[in-house]
């Protein structure tokens, strides 16, 4: 599993945790996160997230 970081505000989407508050269950790969999902902190799109090297 990978994590993705918002390049605007630094929010981290961790595939192992998902984002249950937005209906994205734990274990959801980034590719399966809906394209219209927005960063819950700053409102930017998935295009503004980069894979974070662990």
């Amino acid at each position: 599993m990978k994590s993705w970081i918002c390049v605007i505000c630094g929010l981290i989407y961790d595939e192992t945790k998902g984002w249950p508050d937005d209906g994205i269950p734990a274990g959801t790969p980034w590719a399966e996160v809906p394209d219209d999902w927005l960063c819950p902190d700053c409102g930017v799109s998935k295009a503004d997230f980069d894979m974070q090297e662990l």
Side-chain angles (χ1 to χ4, degrees), residues 17-40:
K17 296 178 182 176
W19 205 265
D21 290 347
D22 287 347
I24 302 169
T28 301
W30 184 246
E32 293 179 17
V33 172
D35 290 335
D36 62 352
W37 182 76
L38 301 175
C39 176

